[in-house]
Amino acid sequence: FPLGSFPSGAFPEGHWPLPPIFPVSLDEMKEHLRVTDTTEDFLIRDLILAATNWAEMFQSRFFISKTTMEYLDNFPDEIRPVWSTLQSVDSIKYYDADGALQVLGSSDYRLDTDDTPARITPAYGQTWPDTREMTNAVVVTYSAGYGLASDVPDNTKAALKLLVGHWYEHREAVSELSLQEVPLAIKSLLWMQRIY
């Protein structure tokens, strides 16, 4: 949500509502935490957001499908988008040797979504065009993710619940009882769909 989309004072400072769709809803998380009142809803929402971001970074995956952009200084042999699961490429733009912004035709490249992470390569008989020697000369806009919350694997949802529960109970990075910042069980659940 962009800043300024909500009335001033509608939410406590530093707190913003979750996107409409998240892998684990507030109600599901409260049931897991055995929380029945609303006094800590903002804290729990913040923890869901933080846990989801952490788990997505750990797996190199978007859980709920979203569109993102990647910037490259030139065309590599093959483009491997950072985020999985690749669903579609919306556009590939580049600055040509003269510095003019161009859009690569969709027939000029091929998507390999059978591999993980996915690959974008020149189509048969095509080569990548020359680009100007500059930073961020190539911009790839694509959509990635599992789809909806119902498409997210159960082990990922279980890991998110465990991680939020861990942070909810232990509100410091480490404690005298346990020096593990993230319990091993959480990483074990997430490791199954982790991408290297």
Side-chain angles (χ1 to χ4, degrees), residues 71-148:
Y71 298 85
L72 307 167
D73 292 344
N74 50 49
F75 282 106
D77 291 338
E78 59 182 24
I79 299 172
R80 291 254 179 177
V82 171
W83 298 101
S84 292
T85 299
L86 180 67
Q87 293 184 343
S88 65
V89 173
D90 300 319
S91 68
I92 298 178
K93 299 179 181 180
Y94 66 97
Y95 290 92
D96 65 19
D98 296 325
L101 184 63
Q102 305 287 348
V103 179
L104 195 65
S106 58
S107 61
D108 294 330
Y109 57 87
R110 179 181 179 275
L111 303 183
D112 175 12
T113 56
D114 294 328
D115 204 3
T116 304
R119 298 182 295 172
I120 307 171
T121 56
Y124 178 77
Q126 301 290 325
T127 58
W128 294 126
D130 292 331
T131 59
R132 171 164 280 201
E133 292 187 13
M134 58 180 284
T135 56
N136 301 330
V138 179
V139 183
V140 182
T141 303
Y142 64 97
S143 299
Y146 286 113
L148 302 176

Side-chain angles (χ1 to χ4, degrees), residues 27-190:
D27 289 340
E28 289 174 320
M29 192 61 71
K30 288 175 68 174
E31 182 180 357
H32 173 76
L33 298 173
R34 295 184 175 89
V35 173
T36 56
D37 57 54
T38 61
T39 57
E40 295 190 306
D41 278 7
F42 283 113
L43 169 64
I44 298 170
R45 289 180 183 192
D46 284 349
L47 293 177
I48 294 172
L49 179 60
T52 301
N53 289 339
W54 185 91
E56 286 183 333
M57 290 292 292
F58 183 82
Q59 288 192 335
S60 296
R61 288 184 180 275
F62 285 151
F63 299 149
I64 306 302
S65 295
K66 64 186 78 173
T67 300
T68 189
M69 301 169 74
E70 285 186 25
Y71 298 85
L72 307 167
D73 292 344
N74 50 49
F75 282 106
D77 291 338
E78 59 182 24
I79 299 172
R80 291 254 179 177
V82 171
W83 298 101
S84 292
T85 299
L86 180 67
Q87 293 184 343
S88 65
V89 173
D90 300 319
S91 68
I92 298 178
K93 299 179 181 180
Y94 66 97
Y95 290 92
D96 65 19
D98 296 325
L101 184 63
Q102 305 287 348
V103 179
L104 195 65
S106 58
S107 61
D108 294 330
Y109 57 87
R110 179 181 179 275
L111 303 183
D112 175 12
T113 56
D114 294 328
D115 204 3
T116 304
R119 298 182 295 172
I120 307 171
T121 56
Y124 178 77
Q126 301 290 325
T127 58
W128 294 126
D130 292 331
T131 59
R132 171 164 280 201
E133 292 187 13
M134 58 180 284
T135 56
N136 301 330
V138 179
V139 183
V140 182
T141 303
Y142 64 97
S143 299
Y146 286 113
L148 302 176
S150 57
D151 300 316
V152 178
D154 289 338
N155 60 296
T156 298
K157 293 180 181 180
L160 292 175
K161 290 178 181 178
L162 289 174
L163 184 55
V164 170
H166 174 71
W167 286 343
Y168 184 79
E169 292 296 328
H170 308 283
R171 301 185 187 185
E172 308 295 335
V174 295
S175 69
E176 294 179 1
L177 297 177
S178 174
L179 296 179
Q180 293 180 334
E181 293 189 7
V182 178
L184 182 60
I186 296 170
K187 285 188 175 181
S188 297
L189 287 168
L190 294 173

